[in-house]
PDB file of all heavy atoms in Angstrom:
ATOM      1  N   PHE J  55       0.864   5.077   5.930  1.00 98.00           N
ATOM      2  CA  PHE J  55       2.103   4.376   5.599  1.00 98.00           C
ATOM      3  C   PHE J  55       2.768   4.991   4.363  1.00 98.00           C
ATOM      4  O   PHE J  55       3.978   5.224   4.339  1.00 98.00           O
ATOM      5  CB  PHE J  55       1.808   2.898   5.371  1.00 98.00           C
ATOM      6  CG  PHE J  55       1.545   2.102   6.622  1.00 98.00           C
ATOM      7  CD1 PHE J  55       0.953   0.850   6.558  1.00 98.00           C
ATOM      8  CD2 PHE J  55       1.888   2.597   7.875  1.00 98.00           C
ATOM      9  CE1 PHE J  55       0.724   0.100   7.704  1.00 98.00           C
ATOM     10  CE2 PHE J  55       1.658   1.862   9.042  1.00 98.00           C
ATOM     11  CZ  PHE J  55       1.071   0.606   8.946  1.00 98.00           C
ATOM     12  N   TRP J  85       1.871  -5.612  -0.810  1.00 96.00           N
ATOM     13  CA  TRP J  85       1.649  -5.249   0.590  1.00 96.00           C
ATOM     14  C   TRP J  85       1.347  -6.512   1.382  1.00 96.00           C
ATOM     15  O   TRP J  85       0.663  -7.420   0.877  1.00 96.00           O
ATOM     16  CB  TRP J  85       0.397  -4.388   0.749  1.00 96.00           C
ATOM     17  CG  TRP J  85       0.437  -2.918   0.610  1.00 96.00           C
ATOM     18  CD1 TRP J  85      -0.288  -2.173  -0.279  1.00 96.00           C
ATOM     19  CD2 TRP J  85       1.142  -1.976   1.427  1.00 96.00           C
ATOM     20  NE1 TRP J  85      -0.052  -0.842  -0.079  1.00 96.00           N
ATOM     21  CE2 TRP J  85       0.823  -0.693   0.960  1.00 96.00           C
ATOM     22  CE3 TRP J  85       2.031  -2.112   2.494  1.00 96.00           C
ATOM     23  CZ2 TRP J  85       1.344   0.460   1.518  1.00 96.00           C
ATOM     24  CZ3 TRP J  85       2.564  -0.959   3.049  1.00 96.00           C
ATOM     25  CH2 TRP J  85       2.212   0.306   2.566  1.00 96.00           C
ATOM     26  N   GLN J  86       1.769  -6.518   2.631  1.00 98.00           N
ATOM     27  CA  GLN J  86       1.191  -7.392   3.648  1.00 98.00           C
ATOM     28  C   GLN J  86       1.017  -6.525   4.889  1.00 98.00           C
ATOM     29  O   GLN J  86       2.003  -6.061   5.468  1.00 98.00           O
ATOM     30  CB  GLN J  86       2.078  -8.590   3.968  1.00 98.00           C
ATOM     31  CG  GLN J  86       1.459  -9.494   5.042  1.00 98.00           C
ATOM     32  CD  GLN J  86       2.415 -10.552   5.560  1.00 98.00           C
ATOM     33  OE1 GLN J  86       3.502 -10.732   5.028  1.00 98.00           O
ATOM     34  NE2 GLN J  86       2.024 -11.252   6.619  1.00 98.00           N
ATOM     35  N   ILE J  87      -0.227  -6.299   5.275  1.00 98.00           N
ATOM     36  CA  ILE J  87      -0.527  -5.408   6.396  1.00 98.00           C
ATOM     37  C   ILE J  87      -1.293  -6.187   7.457  1.00 98.00           C
ATOM     38  O   ILE J  87      -2.310  -6.827   7.160  1.00 98.00           O
ATOM     39  CB  ILE J  87      -1.364  -4.187   5.946  1.00 98.00           C
ATOM     40  CG1 ILE J  87      -0.628  -3.416   4.838  1.00 98.00           C
ATOM     41  CG2 ILE J  87      -1.662  -3.270   7.123  1.00 98.00           C
ATOM     42  CD1 ILE J  87      -1.414  -2.262   4.269  1.00 98.00           C
ATOM     43  N   ARG J  88      -0.811  -6.138   8.692  1.00 98.00           N
ATOM     44  CA  ARG J  88      -1.475  -6.752   9.840  1.00 98.00           C
ATOM     45  C   ARG J  88      -2.070  -5.633  10.689  1.00 98.00           C
ATOM     46  O   ARG J  88      -1.374  -4.678  11.048  1.00 98.00           O
ATOM     47  CB  ARG J  88      -0.479  -7.557  10.669  1.00 98.00           C
ATOM     48  CG  ARG J  88       0.044  -8.792   9.978  1.00 98.00           C
ATOM     49  CD  ARG J  88      -0.902  -9.961  10.124  1.00 98.00           C
ATOM     50  NE  ARG J  88      -1.006 -10.411  11.497  1.00 98.00           N
ATOM     51  CZ  ARG J  88      -2.110 -10.936  12.035  1.00 98.00           C
ATOM     52  NH1 ARG J  88      -3.209 -11.026  11.324  1.00 98.00           N
ATOM     53  NH2 ARG J  88      -2.114 -11.348  13.285  1.00 98.00           N
ATOM     54  N   ARG J 115      10.489  -2.796   2.483  1.00 97.00           N
ATOM     55  CA  ARG J 115      10.255  -1.758   3.490  1.00 97.00           C
ATOM     56  C   ARG J 115       9.230  -2.234   4.505  1.00 97.00           C
ATOM     57  O   ARG J 115       8.206  -2.816   4.149  1.00 97.00           O
ATOM     58  CB  ARG J 115       9.765  -0.487   2.778  1.00 97.00           C
ATOM     59  CG  ARG J 115       9.490   0.699   3.663  1.00 97.00           C
ATOM     60  CD  ARG J 115       9.095   1.920   2.835  1.00 97.00           C
ATOM     61  NE  ARG J 115      10.252   2.546   2.216  1.00 97.00           N
ATOM     62  CZ  ARG J 115      11.048   3.405   2.823  1.00 97.00           C
ATOM     63  NH1 ARG J 115      10.816   3.744   4.093  1.00 97.00           N
ATOM     64  NH2 ARG J 115      12.062   3.947   2.184  1.00 97.00           N
ATOM     65  N   ASN J 116       9.518  -1.996   5.790  1.00 98.00           N
ATOM     66  CA  ASN J 116       8.563  -2.244   6.874  1.00 98.00           C
ATOM     67  C   ASN J 116       7.888  -0.943   7.300  1.00 98.00           C
ATOM     68  O   ASN J 116       8.441   0.153   7.123  1.00 98.00           O
ATOM     69  CB  ASN J 116       9.256  -2.841   8.094  1.00 98.00           C
ATOM     70  CG  ASN J 116       9.572  -4.311   7.957  1.00 98.00           C
ATOM     71  OD1 ASN J 116      10.706  -4.723   8.175  1.00 98.00           O
ATOM     72  ND2 ASN J 116       8.594  -5.130   7.624  1.00 98.00           N
ATOM     73  N   PHE J 117       6.705  -1.098   7.898  1.00 98.00           N
ATOM     74  CA  PHE J 117       5.954   0.029   8.457  1.00 98.00           C
ATOM     75  C   PHE J 117       5.362  -0.382   9.796  1.00 98.00           C
ATOM     76  O   PHE J 117       5.046  -1.559  10.013  1.00 98.00           O
ATOM     77  CB  PHE J 117       4.793   0.437   7.542  1.00 98.00           C
ATOM     78  CG  PHE J 117       5.192   0.988   6.214  1.00 98.00           C
ATOM     79  CD1 PHE J 117       5.434   0.144   5.135  1.00 98.00           C
ATOM     80  CD2 PHE J 117       5.315   2.352   6.019  1.00 98.00           C
ATOM     81  CE1 PHE J 117       5.786   0.647   3.902  1.00 98.00           C
ATOM     82  CE2 PHE J 117       5.662   2.874   4.789  1.00 98.00           C
ATOM     83  CZ  PHE J 117       5.903   2.012   3.725  1.00 98.00           C
ATOM     84  N   VAL J 118       5.161   0.594  10.671  1.00 98.00           N
ATOM     85  CA  VAL J 118       4.426   0.387  11.909  1.00 98.00           C
ATOM     86  C   VAL J 118       3.563   1.610  12.188  1.00 98.00           C
ATOM     87  O   VAL J 118       3.894   2.724  11.780  1.00 98.00           O
ATOM     88  CB  VAL J 118       5.358   0.143  13.123  1.00 98.00           C
ATOM     89  CG1 VAL J 118       6.121  -1.172  12.979  1.00 98.00           C
ATOM     90  CG2 VAL J 118       6.320   1.303  13.330  1.00 98.00           C
ATOM     91  N   ALA J 128      -0.756  -1.459  14.020  1.00 98.00           N
ATOM     92  CA  ALA J 128      -0.633  -2.147  12.736  1.00 98.00           C
ATOM     93  C   ALA J 128       0.832  -2.196  12.335  1.00 98.00           C
ATOM     94  O   ALA J 128       1.640  -1.367  12.759  1.00 98.00           O
ATOM     95  CB  ALA J 128      -1.451  -1.436  11.661  1.00 98.00           C
ATOM     96  N   CYS J 129       1.146  -3.180  11.512  1.00 98.00           N
ATOM     97  CA  CYS J 129       2.495  -3.263  10.952  1.00 98.00           C
ATOM     98  C   CYS J 129       2.389  -3.796   9.536  1.00 98.00           C
ATOM     99  O   CYS J 129       1.358  -4.365   9.145  1.00 98.00           O
ATOM    100  CB  CYS J 129       3.397  -4.148  11.811  1.00 98.00           C
ATOM    101  SG  CYS J 129       2.861  -5.870  11.957  1.00 98.00           S
ATOM    102  N   ALA J 130       3.440  -3.623   8.760  1.00 98.00           N
ATOM    103  CA  ALA J 130       3.359  -4.005   7.357  1.00 98.00           C
ATOM    104  C   ALA J 130       4.731  -4.320   6.784  1.00 98.00           C
ATOM    105  O   ALA J 130       5.767  -3.853   7.276  1.00 98.00           O
ATOM    106  CB  ALA J 130       2.707  -2.885   6.542  1.00 98.00           C
ATOM    107  N   TYR J 131       4.692  -5.106   5.721  1.00 98.00           N
ATOM    108  CA  TYR J 131       5.861  -5.379   4.891  1.00 98.00           C
ATOM    109  C   TYR J 131       5.465  -5.068   3.451  1.00 98.00           C
ATOM    110  O   TYR J 131       4.349  -5.390   3.021  1.00 98.00           O
ATOM    111  CB  TYR J 131       6.271  -6.844   5.005  1.00 98.00           C
ATOM    112  CG  TYR J 131       7.335  -7.271   4.007  1.00 98.00           C
ATOM    113  CD1 TYR J 131       8.658  -6.856   4.151  1.00 98.00           C
ATOM    114  CD2 TYR J 131       7.007  -8.076   2.925  1.00 98.00           C
ATOM    115  CE1 TYR J 131       9.628  -7.236   3.238  1.00 98.00           C
ATOM    116  CE2 TYR J 131       7.974  -8.470   2.014  1.00 98.00           C
ATOM    117  CZ  TYR J 131       9.277  -8.053   2.176  1.00 98.00           C
ATOM    118  OH  TYR J 131      10.238  -8.432   1.265  1.00 98.00           O
ATOM    119  N   SER J 132       6.352  -4.438   2.713  1.00 97.00           N
ATOM    120  CA  SER J 132       6.046  -4.065   1.338  1.00 97.00           C
ATOM    121  C   SER J 132       7.266  -4.251   0.450  1.00 97.00           C
ATOM    122  O   SER J 132       8.406  -4.229   0.916  1.00 97.00           O
ATOM    123  CB  SER J 132       5.579  -2.605   1.279  1.00 97.00           C
ATOM    124  OG  SER J 132       6.600  -1.735   1.771  1.00 97.00           O
ATOM    125  N   LEU J 161      11.273  -6.245  10.543  1.00 96.00           N
ATOM    126  CA  LEU J 161      10.369  -6.324  11.683  1.00 96.00           C
ATOM    127  C   LEU J 161      10.014  -7.790  11.963  1.00 96.00           C
ATOM    128  O   LEU J 161       9.835  -8.585  11.040  1.00 96.00           O
ATOM    129  CB  LEU J 161       9.092  -5.539  11.372  1.00 96.00           C
ATOM    130  CG  LEU J 161       8.041  -5.437  12.462  1.00 96.00           C
ATOM    131  CD1 LEU J 161       8.519  -4.542  13.589  1.00 96.00           C
ATOM    132  CD2 LEU J 161       6.740  -4.890  11.878  1.00 96.00           C
ATOM    133  N   MET J 163       7.588 -10.307  12.349  1.00 92.00           N
ATOM    134  CA  MET J 163       6.192 -10.562  12.024  1.00 92.00           C
ATOM    135  C   MET J 163       6.145 -11.831  11.181  1.00 92.00           C
ATOM    136  O   MET J 163       7.176 -12.303  10.692  1.00 92.00           O
ATOM    137  CB  MET J 163       5.556  -9.381  11.275  1.00 92.00           C
ATOM    138  CG  MET J 163       6.211  -9.034   9.950  1.00 92.00           C
ATOM    139  SD  MET J 163       5.442  -7.624   9.097  1.00 92.00           S
ATOM    140  CE  MET J 163       3.918  -8.361   8.470  1.00 92.00           C
ATOM    141  N   TYR J 165       5.672 -13.472   7.984  1.00 93.00           N
ATOM    142  CA  TYR J 165       5.684 -13.014   6.595  1.00 93.00           C
ATOM    143  C   TYR J 165       4.992 -14.033   5.695  1.00 93.00           C
ATOM    144  O   TYR J 165       5.313 -15.228   5.710  1.00 93.00           O
ATOM    145  CB  TYR J 165       7.123 -12.783   6.125  1.00 93.00           C
ATOM    146  CG  TYR J 165       7.771 -11.564   6.750  1.00 93.00           C
ATOM    147  CD1 TYR J 165       8.425 -11.646   7.977  1.00 93.00           C
ATOM    148  CD2 TYR J 165       7.711 -10.320   6.124  1.00 93.00           C
ATOM    149  CE1 TYR J 165       9.000 -10.532   8.554  1.00 93.00           C
ATOM    150  CE2 TYR J 165       8.286  -9.200   6.693  1.00 93.00           C
ATOM    151  CZ  TYR J 165       8.932  -9.309   7.910  1.00 93.00           C
ATOM    152  OH  TYR J 165       9.508  -8.197   8.487  1.00 93.00           O
TER     153      TYR J 165
END
Side-chain angles (χ1 to χ4, degrees):
F55 285 164
W85 273 122
Q86 180 190 352
I87 303 176
R88 292 277 294 148
R115 181 176 283 277
N116 283 128
F117 294 86
V118 294
C129 62
Y131 171 73
S132 60
L161 183 70
M163 60 180 285
Y165 289 87

